[in-house]
């Protein structure tokens, strides 16, 4: 190989090395950019995690004052401009239908008597507004550190409230006579043998063609005699 050819080969080698160096440098720069971006995202996520988060807290109230507490707290939130820290107040209830003398009367019944749910960002100001609302006795948790409720539990409670099944109550007991007012045994008279309050049902003995026959009835199907 001539001297001139050697010089050309060496020059080409230098160029290849240079290209590898450039590529390597670009790769390193790219890695640095990725790491820098991840570091920024991590810092932002940590910062967000440190920000106060709205959570559900359970407040204990005087018995029978749950709805009053809800109304009073809503007024205080508006008056003290705390709408950015206290969001929702819930008093879980269900509808109970009572049958008496063949007439239905509906009433709202508390699912958790003596408790109110409050969705809020907990800090000294919001704590003060809720804690010093008329009718409130305390937060669930220690006096200095209220404990937030589990989100899954709150969802179950609210779902149960929104999809409630109306409960029917009837003042009857085994041995009472009832008249059946609907269904296939309408107008028959029966003697109650068993009562199932949790299911709003009962079992009665009805005389059909001279034979005592046990039948299961819903509260809404009968009228106490």
């Amino acid at each position: 190989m001539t001297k001139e050819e050697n010089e050309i080969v060496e020059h080409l080698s230098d160029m290849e090395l240079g290209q590898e160096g450039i590529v390597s440098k670009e790769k390193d720069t790219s890695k640095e950019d990725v790491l820098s971006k991840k570091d920024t995202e991590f810092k932002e996520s940590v910062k967000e995690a440190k920000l106060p988060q709205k959570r559900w807290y359970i407040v204990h109230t005087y018995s029978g004052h749950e709805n009053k507490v809800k109304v009073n707290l809503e007024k205080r939130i508006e008056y003290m401009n705390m709408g950015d820290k206290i969001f929702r107040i819930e008093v879980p209830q269900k509808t109970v239908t009572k049958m008496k003398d063949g007439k239905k009367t509906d009433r709202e019944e508390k699912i958790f008597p003596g408790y109110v749910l409050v969705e809020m960002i907990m800090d000294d100001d919001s704590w003060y507004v809720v804690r010093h609302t008329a009718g409130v006795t305390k937060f669930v948790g220690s006096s200095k550190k209220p404990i937030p409720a589990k989100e899954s539990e709150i969802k179950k409670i609210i779902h149960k409230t929104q999809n409630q099944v109306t409960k029917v109550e009837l003042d009857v007991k085994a041995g009472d006579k009832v008249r059946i007012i609907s269904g296939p045994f309408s107008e028959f008279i029966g003697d109650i043998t068993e009562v199932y309050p949790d299911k709003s049902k009962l079992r009665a003995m009805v005389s059909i063609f001279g034979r005592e026959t046990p039948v299961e009835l819903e509260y809404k199907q009968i009228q106490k005699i």
Side-chain angles (χ1 to χ4, degrees):
M1 184 178 295
T2 64
K3 180 179 180 182
E4 187 177 348
E5 289 173 342
N6 282 327
E7 288 177 354
I8 293 171
V9 171
E10 288 174 4
H11 179 67
L12 291 171
S13 297
D14 289 339
M15 287 179 66
E16 288 175 358
L17 289 171
Q19 283 287 71
E20 289 178 358
I22 292 169
V23 172
S24 177
K25 186 176 181 181
E26 287 177 350
K27 287 182 179 178
D28 290 343
T29 303
S30 178
K31 287 180 180 178
E32 287 176 2
D33 290 341
V34 171
L35 290 173
S36 177
K37 185 178 179 181
K38 288 185 177 179
D39 185 51
T40 302
E41 290 175 351
F42 175 74
K43 287 179 180 179
E44 288 177 354
S45 65
V46 170
K47 186 178 180 181
E48 289 178 1
K50 289 182 179 179
L51 291 174
Q53 300 293 316
K54 64 179 181 180
R55 302 288 299 275
W56 283 97
Y57 293 83
I58 302 175
V59 175
H60 191 272
T61 72
Y62 291 117
S63 179
H65 287 230
E66 300 87 357
N67 288 328
K68 289 182 181 179
V69 166
K70 176 179 169 67
V71 172
N72 290 339
L73 182 50
E74 287 173 341
K75 289 180 179 178
R76 281 171 64 81
I77 291 168
E78 184 177 357
Y79 176 72
M80 302 181 78
N81 195 28
M82 292 294 288
D84 60 337
K85 291 186 179 180
I86 306 173
F87 308 98
R88 296 168 61 189
I89 303 100
E90 296 286 344
V91 180
Q93 299 182 124
K94 61 184 175 183
T95 302
V96 176
T97 300
K98 190 168 185 178
M99 302 283 294
K100 188 172 183 180
D101 298 327
K103 295 180 180 180
K104 293 181 181 180
T105 55
D106 294 338
R107 75 169 190 273
E108 294 298 316
E109 186 177 276
K110 308 294 183 300
I111 297 176
F112 302 106
Y115 294 95
V116 174
L117 312 180
V118 183
E119 185 184 38
M120 61 190 287
I121 293 174
M122 180 63 70
D123 63 14
D124 291 344
D125 294 333
S126 60
W127 178 91
Y128 182 88
V129 171
V130 176
R131 178 62 185 84
H132 292 278
T133 296
V136 172
T137 59
K138 64 179 181 178
F139 278 93
V140 171
S142 66
S143 59
K144 294 182 179 179
K145 188 178 181 181
I147 299 173
K150 292 181 179 179
E151 192 68 24
S152 58
E153 292 178 351
I154 295 298
K155 285 181 179 179
K156 285 180 183 177
I157 293 170
I158 293 176
H159 178 76
K160 184 177 180 181
T161 303
Q162 293 173 342
N163 297 276
Q164 61 173 316
V165 176
T166 302
K167 180 183 176 183
V168 180
E169 287 186 351
L170 187 63
D171 183 22
V172 292
K173 63 183 183 299
D176 288 345
K177 281 188 176 295
V178 293
R179 176 180 286 106
I180 302 171
I181 58 176
S182 67
F185 303 104
S186 180
E187 299 305 320
F188 279 82
I189 303 297
D191 294 304
I192 297 175
T193 56
E194 294 179 83
V195 180
Y196 314 111
D198 56 328
K199 297 180 180 179
S200 297
K201 292 182 179 182
L202 55 82
R203 187 179 292 274
M205 296 298 290
V206 178
S207 178
I208 303 174
F209 303 121
R211 183 177 178 180
E212 293 294 311
T213 305
V215 295
E216 188 171 275
L217 303 162
E218 295 182 6
Y219 282 1
K220 62 183 180 182
Q221 290 182 279
I222 59 99
Q223 180 179 352
K224 186 176 178 181
I225 299 176

